[in-house]
Amino acid sequence: RNQHADRHVIWENLLNKSRTYRNTLQSSAYMDFKFLNDFTFTVKGEMNVRNQEYRSYDNAIIGNGKGNNGRSSRSIYRYKNGTFEQELTWSHKFGGHIVSLLLGHEKYSYFYDYTYIYKTNQTFEGKDNLSNFNNLTSGDGYSDRYRTESYLGRVRYDYKEKYNLEASFRRDGSSRFHKDSRWGNFGSIGANWVISKEEFMKPIEWVDNLKIRADYGLVGNDAGAGYYSYLALYAADQNHNSGAYYLTQLANSELKWETGQSFGFGVDARLFNRWNISVEYFDKRNKDLLFDVYLPISSGATSSSSAESVVTQNLGTISNRGFEISTDVDVYKNKDLKINIGANLTYLKNKIVTLPEQNKDGIVDGTKYIVEGKSRYEFFVYTFEGVDSKNGYSLYKFNDGD
């Protein structure tokens, strides 16, 4: 017996078709050129290509395709992404000192193409070729392109494996932003001191390793923006069987990189040749956050189905700070077996540090309310006032302002 009228699971599976075809090519190559003893020039390249086609056919006898006298669709995807890198490194050791330098360039490209065709009303039963169908019900297709380019440098210094210093700088460009704000500058610096290697620590035999470290750095993020977020975009559609375009995205030529700013200070130790412990304080801030902001409809609706106007903007700074403690102990060990028990504790405080002047009153984002001095995850809900003693219903604060 069928669960639903005019349906038959086994029969439909015999008549319908659903297939995916995929071809993938992954390639990589590199070359090292060594010269003048301490120099190395490296060239690296990667290319990944994937073509995929999804075919579906619903028969005209029974099931989903019966009402259309059969239907067939094609979804075709094409991906191509590649990276091309060049690095020049120099490293030299003299006495107890080791100095190394790196200069590099990196280019990344991404391409994606999508095509979709859906047709109904077949001529011959069982043939899923698109030419066998008479009515074009739907057709769509688009391409996305994305590129980044980076120039970077790094210097490292080590003295007797006791003192280590590292500094880096990079300049990144992204096709997601307007040419006037496409490039961002980011850098970092870090140092550590292995105290346990000092002469004054040798009498303290129960300390196997003791190190303090600190770092500060900036890193760019463009993932919060769409591929063409700085442009005004329009979607093609039909209106009374005529070609039409409607606005789907407002332009923002001032859009730029979101910057992640991180500071950390930590202590690492191994004691009694069995106990590891690490304590770290961190403050990670993101400024110029990439965020979709709702504007008055008078700014231009960006949807054909919802009353909304949205634009991507850089706004405000958010902070995640706290501390983390990690520890583990070798409770038992011999040459054949070791039993180790570990634990981790993290305390984290999230806070909106600043918002732009036009958003000082806060931003409603779904169920969240973004406001200075509060967590990014503050819920925007009705204010509970108690329970009605007569009927047990919940009571909420009345918003007489609206």
Coordinates of all heavy atoms in Angstrom, one line a residue, residues 220-302:
G220 N 44.6 41.0 8.1 CA 43.4 41.5 7.4 C 42.4 40.4 7.1 O 42.7 39.2 7.0
N221 N 41.1 40.8 7.0 CA 40.0 39.9 6.7 C 39.1 40.5 5.7 O 38.6 41.6 5.9 CB 39.3 39.5 8.0 CG 38.0 38.7 7.6 OD1 38.1 37.8 6.8 ND2 36.9 39.0 8.3
D222 N 38.9 39.9 4.6 CA 37.9 40.4 3.6 C 36.7 39.4 3.4 O 35.9 39.7 2.6 CB 38.6 40.7 2.2 CG 39.1 39.4 1.6 OD1 39.2 38.4 2.2 OD2 39.5 39.5 0.4
A223 N 36.7 38.3 4.1 CA 35.7 37.3 3.9 C 34.3 37.8 4.3 O 33.3 37.2 3.8 CB 36.0 36.0 4.7
G224 N 34.2 38.8 5.1 CA 32.9 39.3 5.5 C 32.2 40.1 4.4 O 31.0 40.5 4.6
A225 N 32.9 40.4 3.3 CA 32.3 41.1 2.2 C 32.1 40.2 1.0 O 32.8 39.2 0.9 CB 33.3 42.3 1.8
G226 N 31.1 40.5 0.2 CA 30.8 39.7 -1.0 C 31.9 40.0 -2.0 O 32.7 40.9 -1.8
Y227 N 31.9 39.2 -3.1 CA 32.9 39.4 -4.1 C 32.9 40.8 -4.7 O 33.9 41.3 -5.2 CB 32.7 38.4 -5.2 CG 33.0 36.9 -4.8 CD1 32.0 35.9 -5.0 CD2 34.2 36.6 -4.2 CE1 32.3 34.6 -4.6 CE2 34.5 35.3 -3.8 CZ 33.5 34.3 -4.0 OH 33.8 33.1 -3.6
Y228 N 31.7 41.4 -4.7 CA 31.6 42.8 -5.4 C 30.9 43.7 -4.4 O 30.1 44.5 -4.9 CB 30.9 42.7 -6.7 CG 31.3 41.5 -7.5 CD1 30.5 40.3 -7.6 CD2 32.5 41.5 -8.2 CE1 30.9 39.2 -8.3 CE2 32.9 40.4 -9.0 CZ 32.0 39.2 -9.0 OH 32.4 38.2 -9.8
S229 N 31.3 43.7 -3.2 CA 30.5 44.5 -2.2 C 30.6 46.0 -2.3 O 29.7 46.7 -1.8 CB 31.1 44.1 -0.8 OG 30.7 42.8 -0.4
Y230 N 31.6 46.5 -3.0 CA 31.7 47.9 -3.2 C 30.8 48.5 -4.3 O 30.7 49.7 -4.5 CB 33.1 48.3 -3.4 CG 33.8 47.9 -4.7 CD1 33.8 48.8 -5.8 CD2 34.3 46.7 -4.8 CE1 34.4 48.4 -7.0 CE2 34.9 46.3 -6.0 CZ 34.9 47.1 -7.1 OH 35.5 46.7 -8.3
L231 N 30.2 47.6 -5.1 CA 29.5 48.0 -6.3 C 28.0 48.0 -6.1 O 27.5 47.2 -5.2 CB 29.8 47.0 -7.5 CG 31.2 47.0 -8.0 CD1 31.3 45.8 -9.0 CD2 31.5 48.3 -8.7
A232 N 27.3 48.7 -6.8 CA 25.8 48.6 -6.9 C 25.5 47.5 -7.9 O 25.9 47.5 -9.0 CB 25.2 49.9 -7.4
L233 N 24.7 46.5 -7.4 CA 24.4 45.3 -8.2 C 22.9 45.2 -8.5 O 22.1 45.6 -7.7 CB 24.9 44.0 -7.5 CG 26.3 43.9 -7.2 CD1 26.6 42.5 -6.5 CD2 27.2 44.0 -8.4
Y234 N 22.7 44.7 -9.7 CA 21.3 44.6 -10.2 C 21.1 43.1 -10.7 O 22.0 42.5 -11.2 CB 21.0 45.5 -11.3 CG 21.0 47.0 -10.9 CD1 22.2 47.7 -10.8 CD2 19.8 47.7 -10.6 CE1 22.3 49.0 -10.5 CE2 19.9 49.0 -10.2 CZ 21.1 49.6 -10.1 OH 21.2 51.0 -9.7
A235 N 19.9 42.6 -10.4 CA 19.6 41.2 -10.9 C 18.7 41.3 -12.1 O 17.8 42.2 -12.2 CB 18.9 40.5 -9.8
A236 N 18.9 40.4 -13.0 CA 18.0 40.4 -14.2 C 16.8 39.5 -13.9 O 16.9 38.5 -13.3 CB 18.8 39.8 -15.4
D237 N 15.6 40.0 -14.4 CA 14.4 39.3 -14.2 C 13.4 39.6 -15.3 O 13.8 40.3 -16.3 CB 13.8 39.7 -12.8 CG 13.0 38.5 -12.2 OD1 12.5 37.7 -13.0 OD2 12.8 38.5 -11.0
Q238 N 12.2 39.2 -15.2 CA 11.1 39.5 -16.1 C 10.0 40.3 -15.5 O 9.7 40.0 -14.3 CB 10.6 38.2 -16.7 CG 11.5 37.5 -17.6 CD 10.9 36.3 -18.3 OE1 9.6 36.1 -18.2 NE2 11.6 35.5 -19.0
N239 N 9.4 41.2 -16.2 CA 8.3 41.9 -15.8 C 7.3 42.0 -16.9 O 7.6 42.7 -17.9 CB 8.7 43.3 -15.3 CG 7.5 44.1 -14.6 OD1 6.5 43.4 -14.2 ND2 7.6 45.4 -14.6
H240 N 6.1 41.3 -16.8 CA 5.2 41.3 -17.9 C 5.9 40.8 -19.2 O 5.7 41.4 -20.3 CB 4.5 42.6 -18.2 CG 3.6 43.1 -17.0 ND1 2.4 42.5 -16.7 CD2 3.9 44.0 -16.0 CE1 1.9 43.1 -15.7 NE2 2.8 44.0 -15.2
N241 N 6.7 39.7 -19.1 CA 7.3 39.1 -20.2 C 8.3 40.0 -20.9 O 8.7 39.8 -22.1 CB 6.3 38.6 -21.3 CG 5.5 37.5 -20.7 OD1 6.0 36.6 -20.0 ND2 4.2 37.5 -21.1
S242 N 8.8 41.0 -20.2 CA 9.8 41.9 -20.7 C 11.0 41.9 -19.8 O 10.9 41.6 -18.6 CB 9.3 43.4 -20.9 OG 8.3 43.4 -21.8
G243 N 12.2 42.1 -20.4 CA 13.4 42.1 -19.5 C 13.4 43.2 -18.5 O 12.9 44.3 -18.8
A244 N 13.9 43.0 -17.3 CA 13.9 44.0 -16.2 C 15.0 43.7 -15.3 O 15.6 42.6 -15.2 CB 12.6 43.9 -15.5
Y245 N 15.5 44.8 -14.6 CA 16.5 44.7 -13.7 C 16.0 45.3 -12.4 O 15.3 46.4 -12.4 CB 17.8 45.4 -14.1 CG 18.5 44.7 -15.2 CD1 18.2 44.9 -16.6 CD2 19.5 43.8 -14.9 CE1 18.9 44.2 -17.6 CE2 20.2 43.1 -15.9 CZ 19.9 43.3 -17.3 OH 20.5 42.7 -18.3
Y246 N 16.4 44.8 -11.2 CA 16.1 45.4 -9.9 C 17.3 45.4 -9.1 O 18.2 44.5 -9.2 CB 14.9 44.7 -9.3 CG 15.2 43.3 -8.9 CD1 15.7 43.0 -7.6 CD2 14.9 42.2 -9.7 CE1 15.9 41.6 -7.2 CE2 15.1 40.9 -9.3 CZ 15.6 40.6 -8.1 OH 15.9 39.3 -7.7
L247 N 17.4 46.4 -8.2 CA 18.6 46.6 -7.3 C 18.7 45.5 -6.3 O 17.7 45.2 -5.6 CB 18.5 48.0 -6.6 CG 19.6 48.4 -5.7 CD1 20.9 48.7 -6.6 CD2 19.2 49.7 -5.0
T248 N 19.9 44.9 -6.1 CA 20.1 43.9 -5.1 C 21.1 44.3 -4.1 O 21.3 43.6 -3.1 CB 20.4 42.5 -5.7 OG1 21.6 42.7 -6.5 CG2 19.3 42.0 -6.6
Q249 N 21.9 45.3 -4.4 CA 23.0 45.7 -3.5 C 23.4 47.2 -3.7 O 23.5 47.6 -4.9 CB 24.3 44.9 -3.8 CG 25.5 45.2 -2.9 CD 26.6 44.3 -3.1 OE1 26.6 43.1 -2.6 NE2 27.6 44.7 -3.8
L250 N 23.5 47.9 -2.6 CA 23.9 49.3 -2.7 C 25.4 49.4 -2.7 O 26.1 48.6 -2.1 CB 23.3 50.0 -1.4 CG 21.8 50.1 -1.3 CD1 21.4 50.7 0.0 CD2 21.2 50.9 -2.5
A251 N 25.9 50.4 -3.4 CA 27.3 50.6 -3.5 C 27.9 51.2 -2.3 O 27.3 52.0 -1.6 CB 27.6 51.5 -4.8
N252 N 29.2 50.9 -2.0 CA 29.9 51.5 -0.9 C 31.4 51.5 -1.4 O 32.1 50.5 -1.1 CB 29.8 50.8 0.4 CG 30.5 51.4 1.5 OD1 31.1 52.5 1.4 ND2 30.5 50.8 2.7
S253 N 31.8 52.5 -2.0 CA 33.2 52.6 -2.6 C 34.2 52.8 -1.5 O 35.4 52.6 -1.7 CB 33.3 53.8 -3.6 OG 33.0 55.0 -2.9
E254 N 33.8 53.1 -0.2 CA 34.7 53.3 0.9 C 35.0 52.0 1.7 O 35.7 52.1 2.7 CB 34.2 54.4 1.8 CG 34.1 55.8 1.1 CD 33.6 56.8 2.0 OE1 33.2 56.5 3.2 OE2 33.6 58.0 1.6
L255 N 34.4 50.9 1.3 CA 34.6 49.7 2.0 C 36.0 49.3 2.0 O 36.7 49.4 0.9 CB 33.7 48.6 1.3 CG 33.3 47.4 2.2 CD1 32.4 47.8 3.3 CD2 32.6 46.3 1.3
K256 N 36.5 48.8 3.1 CA 37.9 48.4 3.2 C 38.1 47.1 4.0 O 37.1 46.6 4.6 CB 38.7 49.5 3.8 CG 38.3 50.0 5.2 CD 39.1 51.2 5.7 CE 38.7 51.5 7.1 NZ 39.5 52.7 7.6
W257 N 39.4 46.7 4.2 CA 39.7 45.5 5.0 C 39.2 45.6 6.4 O 39.3 46.7 7.1 CB 41.2 45.3 5.0 CG 41.8 44.9 3.7 CD1 42.2 45.6 2.7 CD2 42.1 43.5 3.4 NE1 42.7 44.8 1.7 CE2 42.7 43.5 2.1 CE3 41.9 42.3 4.0 CZ2 43.1 42.4 1.4 CZ3 42.3 41.1 3.3 CH2 42.8 41.2 2.1
E258 N 38.7 44.6 7.0 CA 38.5 44.4 8.4 C 39.9 44.0 9.0 O 40.5 43.1 8.4 CB 37.5 43.3 8.7 CG 37.2 43.1 10.1 CD 36.2 42.0 10.4 OE1 35.1 42.0 9.7 OE2 36.4 41.0 11.2
T259 N 40.2 44.6 10.1 CA 41.5 44.3 10.7 C 41.4 43.6 12.0 O 40.7 44.0 12.9 CB 42.3 45.6 10.9 OG1 42.5 46.3 9.7 CG2 43.7 45.3 11.5
G260 N 42.1 42.4 12.1 CA 42.2 41.7 13.4 C 43.4 42.1 14.2 O 44.5 42.0 13.6
Q261 N 43.2 42.6 15.4 CA 44.4 43.1 16.2 C 44.5 42.2 17.4 O 43.5 42.0 18.2 CB 44.1 44.5 16.6 CG 45.1 45.2 17.5 CD 44.8 46.6 17.9 OE1 43.9 47.2 17.3 NE2 45.5 47.1 18.8
S262 N 45.7 41.6 17.6 CA 45.8 40.6 18.6 C 47.0 40.9 19.5 O 48.1 41.2 19.0 CB 46.0 39.2 18.0 OG 46.2 38.2 19.0
F263 N 46.8 40.8 20.8 CA 47.9 40.9 21.8 C 47.9 39.7 22.7 O 46.8 39.3 23.1 CB 47.9 42.1 22.6 CG 48.8 42.2 23.8 CD1 50.1 42.4 23.6 CD2 48.3 41.9 25.1 CE1 51.0 42.4 24.7 CE2 49.2 41.9 26.1 CZ 50.6 42.1 25.9
G264 N 49.0 39.1 23.0 CA 49.1 37.9 23.9 C 50.3 37.9 24.7 O 51.4 38.3 24.3
F265 N 50.2 37.4 25.9 CA 51.4 37.2 26.8 C 51.2 35.9 27.5 O 50.1 35.6 28.1 CB 51.5 38.4 27.8 CG 52.6 38.2 28.8 CD1 53.9 38.6 28.4 CD2 52.4 37.7 30.1 CE1 55.0 38.4 29.3 CE2 53.5 37.5 30.9 CZ 54.7 37.9 30.6
G266 N 52.2 35.1 27.5 CA 52.1 33.7 28.1 C 53.3 33.2 28.8 O 54.4 33.7 28.5
V267 N 53.1 32.2 29.6 CA 54.2 31.5 30.3 C 54.0 30.0 30.1 O 52.9 29.5 30.3 CB 54.2 31.8 31.8 CG1 55.3 31.0 32.5 CG2 54.4 33.3 32.1
D268 N 55.1 29.3 29.6 CA 55.0 27.9 29.4 C 56.1 27.2 30.3 O 57.2 27.7 30.4 CB 55.3 27.5 27.9 CG 54.3 28.2 27.0 OD1 53.1 28.3 27.3 OD2 54.8 28.7 25.9
A269 N 55.7 26.1 30.9 CA 56.7 25.4 31.7 C 56.5 23.9 31.7 O 55.4 23.4 31.5 CB 56.6 25.9 33.2
R270 N 57.6 23.2 31.9 CA 57.6 21.8 32.2 C 58.3 21.5 33.5 O 59.5 21.9 33.6 CB 58.2 20.9 31.1 CG 58.1 19.4 31.3 CD 58.5 18.6 30.1 NE 58.5 17.2 30.4 CZ 57.5 16.4 30.4 NH1 56.2 16.9 30.2 NH2 57.6 15.1 30.7
L271 N 57.6 20.9 34.5 CA 58.2 20.7 35.8 C 58.2 19.2 36.2 O 57.4 18.4 35.8 CB 57.3 21.5 36.8 CG 56.9 22.9 36.5 CD1 56.0 23.5 37.5 CD2 58.2 23.8 36.4
F272 N 59.3 18.9 37.0 CA 59.4 17.5 37.5 C 59.5 16.5 36.4 O 59.2 15.3 36.6 CB 58.3 17.2 38.5 CG 58.2 18.2 39.6 CD1 57.1 19.1 39.6 CD2 59.1 18.2 40.6 CE1 57.0 20.0 40.6 CE2 59.0 19.2 41.6 CZ 57.9 20.0 41.6
N273 N 59.8 16.9 35.2 CA 59.9 16.0 34.0 C 58.6 15.3 33.8 O 58.6 14.2 33.2 CB 61.0 15.0 34.2 CG 61.4 14.3 32.9 OD1 61.2 14.9 31.8 ND2 61.9 13.1 33.0
R274 N 57.5 15.9 34.2 CA 56.2 15.2 33.9 C 55.0 16.1 33.9 O 53.9 15.7 33.4 CB 55.9 14.1 34.9 CG 55.8 14.6 36.4 CD 55.3 13.4 37.3 NE 56.3 12.3 37.3 CZ 56.0 11.1 36.9 NH1 54.8 10.8 36.5 NH2 56.9 10.2 37.0
W275 N 55.1 17.4 34.3 CA 54.0 18.3 34.4 C 54.2 19.5 33.5 O 55.1 20.2 33.6 CB 53.8 18.7 35.8 CG 52.7 19.7 36.1 CD1 51.6 19.8 35.3 CD2 52.5 20.6 37.1 NE1 50.7 20.8 35.8 CE2 51.3 21.3 36.9 CE3 53.3 21.0 38.2 CZ2 50.9 22.3 37.8 CZ3 52.9 22.0 39.1 CH2 51.7 22.6 38.9
N276 N 53.3 19.6 32.5 CA 53.3 20.7 31.5 C 52.2 21.7 31.9 O 51.1 21.3 32.2 CB 53.1 20.3 30.1 CG 54.2 19.3 29.7 OD1 55.3 19.6 29.7 ND2 53.8 18.1 29.2
I277 N 52.5 23.0 31.9 CA 51.5 24.0 32.2 C 51.8 25.2 31.4 O 52.9 25.6 31.1 CB 51.5 24.4 33.7 CG1 50.4 25.4 34.0 CG2 52.9 24.9 34.2 CD1 50.1 25.6 35.5
S278 N 50.7 25.8 30.9 CA 50.7 27.0 30.0 C 49.6 28.0 30.5 O 48.5 27.6 30.6 CB 50.6 26.6 28.6 OG 50.5 27.8 27.8
V279 N 50.0 29.2 30.7 CA 49.1 30.3 31.1 C 49.2 31.4 30.1 O 50.3 31.9 29.9 CB 49.3 30.8 32.5 CG1 48.3 31.9 32.9 CG2 49.2 29.6 33.5
E280 N 48.1 31.9 29.6 CA 48.2 33.0 28.6 C 47.1 34.0 28.7 O 45.9 33.6 29.0 CB 48.1 32.4 27.1 CG 48.2 33.5 26.1 CD 48.2 32.9 24.7 OE1 47.9 31.7 24.5 OE2 48.4 33.7 23.7
Y281 N 47.4 35.3 28.6 CA 46.4 36.3 28.6 C 46.3 36.8 27.1 O 47.4 37.0 26.5 CB 46.8 37.5 29.5 CG 45.9 38.7 29.2 CD1 44.7 38.8 29.8 CD2 46.4 39.8 28.4 CE1 43.8 39.9 29.6 CE2 45.6 40.9 28.2 CZ 44.3 40.9 28.8 OH 43.5 42.0 28.5
F282 N 45.1 37.1 26.6 CA 45.0 37.5 25.2 C 43.9 38.6 25.1 O 43.0 38.6 25.9 CB 44.6 36.3 24.3 CG 43.3 35.6 24.7 CD1 42.1 36.1 24.2 CD2 43.4 34.5 25.5 CE1 40.9 35.4 24.5 CE2 42.2 33.9 25.9 CZ 41.0 34.3 25.4
D283 N 44.1 39.4 24.2 CA 43.1 40.5 23.8 C 43.1 40.5 22.3 O 44.0 41.1 21.7 CB 43.5 41.8 24.4 CG 42.4 42.8 24.2 OD1 41.5 42.6 23.4 OD2 42.4 43.9 24.9
K284 N 42.0 40.0 21.7 CA 41.9 40.0 20.3 C 40.7 40.9 19.9 O 39.6 40.8 20.3 CB 41.6 38.6 19.8 CG 42.7 37.6 20.1 CD 42.4 36.2 19.6 CE 43.5 35.2 19.9 NZ 43.2 33.8 19.4
R285 N 41.1 41.9 19.1 CA 40.1 42.9 18.7 C 40.0 42.9 17.1 O 40.9 42.8 16.4 CB 40.5 44.3 19.2 CG 40.6 44.4 20.7 CD 40.7 45.8 21.1 NE 40.7 45.9 22.6 CZ 40.4 47.0 23.3 NH1 40.0 48.1 22.7 NH2 40.4 46.9 24.6
N286 N 38.8 43.1 16.7 CA 38.5 43.3 15.3 C 37.9 44.7 15.1 O 36.9 45.0 15.7 CB 37.5 42.2 14.8 CG 38.1 40.9 14.7 OD1 38.3 40.2 15.7 ND2 38.5 40.4 13.5
K287 N 38.6 45.5 14.3 CA 38.1 46.8 14.0 C 37.7 47.0 12.5 O 38.1 46.2 11.7 CB 39.1 47.9 14.4 CG 40.4 47.8 13.7 CD 41.4 48.9 14.2 CE 42.7 48.8 13.4 NZ 43.6 49.9 13.9
D288 N 36.9 48.0 12.2 CA 36.4 48.2 10.9 C 35.7 46.9 10.4 O 35.8 46.4 9.3 CB 37.5 48.5 9.9 CG 38.3 49.8 10.2 OD1 37.6 50.7 10.7 OD2 39.5 49.9 10.0
L289 N 34.8 46.4 11.3 CA 34.1 45.2 11.1 C 33.3 45.3 9.8 O 32.6 46.3 9.5 CB 33.1 44.9 12.2 CG 33.8 44.6 13.6 CD1 32.7 44.7 14.7 CD2 34.4 43.2 13.6
L290 N 33.3 44.2 9.0 CA 32.5 44.1 7.8 C 31.1 43.6 8.2 O 31.0 42.5 8.7 CB 33.1 43.2 6.8 CG 34.4 43.7 6.1 CD1 35.1 42.6 5.4 CD2 34.1 44.9 5.2
F291 N 30.1 44.5 8.0 CA 28.8 44.1 8.5 C 27.7 44.7 7.6 O 27.8 45.8 7.0 CB 28.6 44.8 9.9 CG 27.6 44.1 10.8 CD1 28.0 43.1 11.6 CD2 26.3 44.6 10.9 CE1 27.1 42.5 12.4 CE2 25.4 44.0 11.7 CZ 25.8 42.9 12.4
D292 N 26.6 43.9 7.4 CA 25.5 44.3 6.6 C 24.6 45.2 7.5 O 24.1 44.7 8.6 CB 24.7 43.1 6.1 CG 25.4 42.4 5.0 OD1 26.3 43.0 4.4 OD2 25.2 41.2 4.8
V293 N 24.3 46.4 7.1 CA 23.5 47.4 7.9 C 22.2 47.7 7.2 O 22.2 47.9 6.0 CB 24.3 48.7 8.1 CG1 23.5 49.7 8.8 CG2 25.6 48.4 8.8
Y294 N 21.2 47.7 7.9 CA 19.8 48.0 7.4 C 19.6 49.5 7.4 O 19.8 50.2 8.4 CB 18.7 47.3 8.2 CG 18.7 45.8 8.0 CD1 19.5 45.0 8.8 CD2 17.9 45.2 7.1 CE1 19.5 43.6 8.7 CE2 17.9 43.8 6.9 CZ 18.7 43.0 7.7 OH 18.6 41.7 7.5
L295 N 19.2 50.0 6.2 CA 18.9 51.4 6.0 C 17.5 51.6 5.8 O 16.7 50.7 5.5 CB 19.7 51.9 4.8 CG 21.3 51.7 4.8 CD1 21.9 52.2 3.5 CD2 21.9 52.4 6.0
P296 N 17.0 52.9 5.8 CA 15.6 53.2 5.5 C 15.3 52.8 4.0 O 16.2 52.8 3.2 CB 15.5 54.7 5.6 CG 16.6 55.1 6.6 CD 17.7 54.1 6.3
I297 N 14.1 52.4 3.8 CA 13.7 51.9 2.4 C 14.0 53.0 1.4 O 14.2 52.8 0.2 CB 12.3 51.5 2.4 CG1 12.1 50.2 3.3 CG2 11.8 51.1 1.0 CD1 12.9 49.0 2.8
S298 N 13.9 54.3 1.9 CA 14.1 55.4 1.0 C 15.5 55.4 0.4 O 15.8 56.1 -0.7 CB 13.9 56.7 1.7 OG 14.8 56.8 2.8
S299 N 16.5 54.6 1.0 CA 17.8 54.5 0.4 C 17.9 53.6 -0.8 O 18.9 53.6 -1.5 CB 18.8 54.0 1.5 OG 18.8 54.8 2.6
G300 N 16.8 52.9 -1.1 CA 16.7 52.0 -2.2 C 16.6 50.6 -1.7 O 17.5 50.0 -1.1
A301 N 15.4 50.0 -2.1 CA 15.2 48.6 -1.6 C 16.2 47.6 -2.4 O 16.5 47.8 -3.5 CB 13.8 48.2 -2.0
T302 N 16.7 46.7 -1.6 CA 17.7 45.7 -2.2 C 17.1 44.3 -2.3 O 17.8 43.3 -2.4 CB 18.9 45.7 -1.4 OG1 18.6 45.4 0.0 CG2 19.7 47.0 -1.4

